[in-house]
Amino acid sequence: MKEKATGTFTVGNIVKVAGTRYGDREAIYCATTGKRLSFREVNRRVNRLANGLLSQGMKKGDVCAFLSFNRAEIVEIYFALAKIGALGIPLNYRLAPPEIVELVNFCGAENFIFDPTFTETVTAMKAQMPGVRRYFCMGDSIPAFASSYEALIASSPETEPDVDVREEDPQYLNLTSGTTGLPKAYLLTQYNNAAAGPIMAFMHGLSAADTVLTVFPIFGRVGFAWSAMSLFAGARNVIHQFDLTKMLELIQNEKVTISNWVPTIASFVLSLPDLDKYDFSSLRALVFAASPFLPSLQAEVKKRLCPRIYEYYGLQESGVLVNIGPEDKDRKPESVGTLYPGADVRIVDANGKDVPNGEVGEIIGRGVAVTTGYYRNEEKTREMFRDGWFYTGDLGRFDEDGFLYLSGRKKDMIISGGQNVFAVEVEETITSHGAVMQCAVIGLPDDTWGESVTAVVVKIPGKEATEQEIIDYCRDKIAHFKSPKKVYFADSLPMTATGKVQKFLLVEKYSVKP
């Protein structure tokens, strides 16, 4: 008797099925380039790109890096590489050129596809990436060392590529957010993404009636997930290279029904003086992830933007572990969710033993979306995986109904005068101040306290607050040992592309004594 079904669950199948089932309906509106593509056209272009890459010598198992802003082509690249079994490396365009060079060389990429916006950057990096043998450039202005992406598509057949791809095969190397230094590459298989996408679509009620606005960078896992989910569900996907005003115009003009944001985006939107001129009536839901979502901000989002809020929790490496829908979010605004299909979550102590409901411990998880490991980094893989569970490094607790509440990062816990201070609790307190738009709380070395609770604050434009006012405000609401001993004001916080604060940069900056 066979132990496994004859079929295989692959990413390429998603776009193939979409092309057949949804045909000539619009699949993608690329606000970056103005392109509008049907589901059938997307699959045909994916096949042409895949066959073209094969004709240039690329084969299953080869590594291909790609560097692009949010545009239709980056979606095509993901699926073309998936159909031929090549290992993709979507590169973060916010990285400095030396960091990109290091990642490309480390991962052994022989192929490089790039957005023409980055032609000058790629030209400068080329000599430092000797392993890259083939370059492909999008658009019309093609440098001499590269081949034309569009010409490759135009000259290649639209038949399905003849490559045996299995669900256990690698699909792409994603990069961690880089909140603690240079991002690390972790491996995602065909099964990781093919299985996780339909579940995520179902848990957010995604259907062919939806128009999705993708503002997360598509080089990251979340941006790709919404692109794949849209194709799976037959939803129209409006792809946007983030610009605040343009985003609101797209919601209004393209009748967007759902979009995945970080709380920071909501803060920026709500601070716009002319916000009320935009029409948000088409929105049926907004989805949030990546950083703490304060109840006070949730209330403003529901009042002024959209009354229905989803939220989910998971690391880049784990995919979604829990999520929460609008009805439960109304009841439990501070929770990030409960049981998620295909995933399991526990809260454990330092010995890996489960803690009682209500007690804070480390969040560990396992599921269909969890990475199989870090690329060429067995030490990191051993550190993060124990007994089949992925250790997130996040702290949290379950309530009596099984809903998860976050308490911060283990490494984000500040020990001041022997007392444990969870940065997220202090941040929530400070952000509730009427003059504060964003806040990051860090621990700085202190001869007396060991670590000194320190806040870096971004004020709402036009609002004022002093350092002592913020400190006194905290002392009225939380214990004095948790309150910041020092407050710095900044114009902005250093953020990753997925909306997480790069606290290590703040520690570096403010540890330097004036």
Side-chain angles (χ1 to χ4, degrees), residues 43-353:
N43 189 51
R44 285 174 175 169
R45 283 179 60 85
V46 165
N47 287 344
R48 286 179 177 274
L49 177 59
N51 287 318
L53 294 173
L54 290 171
S55 74
Q56 296 297 303
M58 199 182 300
K59 61 185 184 300
K60 183 178 179 180
D62 283 357
V63 181
C64 180
F66 49 104
L67 179 64
S68 177
F69 284 131
N70 277 12
R71 52 190 292 166
E73 288 88 344
I74 192 172
V75 179
E76 296 168 354
I77 293 166
Y78 271 109
F79 282 98
L81 296 179
K83 283 196 176 191
I84 65 175
L87 184 62
I89 309 175
L91 294 165
N92 181 345
Y93 49 72
R94 292 184 172 184
L95 294 177
E99 294 174 315
I100 293 175
V101 167
E102 182 178 343
L103 286 166
V104 168
N105 291 338
F106 172 73
C107 296
E110 295 183 325
N111 310 277
F112 200 115
I113 305 173
F114 60 98
D115 180 327
T117 309
F118 300 105
T119 294
E120 186 176 333
T121 301
V122 175
T123 302
M125 295 189 302
K126 186 174 179 294
Q128 302 167 64
M129 302 185 295
V132 178
R133 298 164 51 200
R134 308 176 192 91
Y135 289 87
F136 305 92
C137 180
M138 306 168 202
D140 299 323
S141 299
I142 312 300
F145 64 85
S147 300
S148 168
Y149 178 98
E150 285 300 326
L152 189 65
I153 286 178
S155 63
S156 302
E158 63 184 42
T159 52
E160 292 291 329
D162 185 18
V163 180
D164 182 23
V165 179
R166 301 300 179 100
E167 60 189 31
E168 60 269 22
D169 290 336
Q171 188 209 340
Y172 70 92
L173 294 173
N174 208 353
L175 306 175
T176 60
S177 296
T179 55
T180 57
L182 185 66
K184 299 174 180 66
Y186 60 91
L187 185 65
L188 293 173
T189 65
Q190 294 272 343
Y191 178 78
N192 278 146
N193 290 319
I199 296 170
M200 194 170 177
F202 172 76
M203 294 302 286
H204 293 95
L206 201 64
S207 76
D210 277 308
T211 293
V212 174
L213 175 64
T214 301
V215 293
F216 260 86
I218 300 177
F219 68 69
R221 192 172 187 183
V222 175
F224 171 68
W226 281 93
S227 300
M229 283 162 30
S230 299
L231 288 166
F232 169 81
R236 192 166 70 105
N237 186 14
V238 177
I239 295 174
H240 168 47
Q241 182 59 32
F242 182 75
D243 172 271
L244 200 57
T245 302
K246 179 68 172 176
M247 181 183 79
L248 302 184
E249 291 173 352
L250 286 170
I251 292 173
Q252 175 177 280
N253 298 336
E254 296 295 323
K255 306 300 181 189
V256 169
T257 62
I258 187 168
S259 187
N260 195 155
W261 294 2
V262 293
T264 305
I265 292 178
S267 295
F268 288 155
V269 169
L270 290 167
S271 69
L272 291 173
D274 60 349
L275 178 63
D276 293 338
K277 79 176 187 181
Y278 296 100
D279 180 7
F280 301 112
S281 60
S282 63
L283 284 174
R284 70 166 179 85
L286 286 172
V287 184
F288 288 87
S291 60
F293 191 19
L294 300 180
S296 57
L297 181 57
Q298 293 177 39
E300 282 297 299
V301 168
K302 288 193 280 189
K303 178 182 176 182
R304 301 189 64 192
L305 301 177
C306 179
R308 292 172 56 80
I309 291 174
Y310 289 85
E311 189 173 7
Y312 61 85
Y313 162 75
L315 273 65
Q316 291 275 349
E317 298 98 312
S318 71
V320 180
L321 293 174
V322 301
N323 92 314
I324 188 167
E327 291 76 20
D328 285 332
K329 196 65 177 167
D330 288 342
R331 293 190 303 118
K332 298 175 181 280
E334 295 181 346
S335 173
V336 291
T338 188
L339 293 178
Y340 190 80
D344 197 7
V345 177
R346 294 165 52 203
I347 307 292
V348 299
D349 61 19
N351 298 313
K353 302 297 183 183

Side-chain angles (χ1 to χ4, degrees), residues 452-464:
S452 176
V453 180
T454 305
V456 184
V457 169
V458 178
K459 291 182 285 190
I460 295 172
K463 299 290 183 71
E464 290 299 329

